[in-house]
Amino acid sequence: MDNNPSHILLKGGTLLLHEEHGRVVPRKADLLIRGDRIARIDDDIQPPAASKIIDCAGNLISPGFIDTHRHLWQTQQKGLHCDQILLDYYHSGTVEYHPPLTSASRT
């Protein structure tokens, strides 16, 4: 099989399909991808030859969803806070922590 197939079939998953007015309807179906586009959503799709088939039974598929949540910035902090507990990390981050001013600290 080609390492970069032109078609990918997501087989037997539960698709979260968006209808008008934001309503999401779950549907057990197949999803065929051609290149970088959704080509077809239907029951029991017969994929073209040399397609990559992924068994999605028991999994949710959200067609068209793009995950933009990334933590790339954290790679620069690896090891900086390894000896701290979580609450210390939140307070220190990568900048110096200054406790809030109180009436006693102003005198």
Side-chain angles (χ1 to χ4, degrees), residues 59-97:
N59 292 291
L60 292 176
I61 302 169
S62 186
F65 179 77
I66 299 172
D67 178 12
T68 61
H69 183 115
R70 296 286 174 246
H71 291 265
L72 185 61
W73 62 271
Q74 287 179 324
T75 59
Q76 298 174 12
Q77 295 181 347
K78 285 184 180 177
L80 289 177
H81 305 283
C82 59
D83 295 325
Q84 293 178 314
I85 63 172
L86 185 59
L87 292 176
D88 290 337
Y89 168 78
Y90 282 150
H91 288 293
S92 68
T94 56
V95 296
E96 187 177 337
Y97 172 70

Side-chain angles (χ1 to χ4, degrees), residues 22-37:
R23 183 170 179 238
V24 177
V25 178
R27 175 182 168 198
K28 192 168 190 116
D30 298 343
L31 184 143
L32 182 65
I33 301 168
R34 181 184 309 122
D36 63 353
R37 303 276 189 245

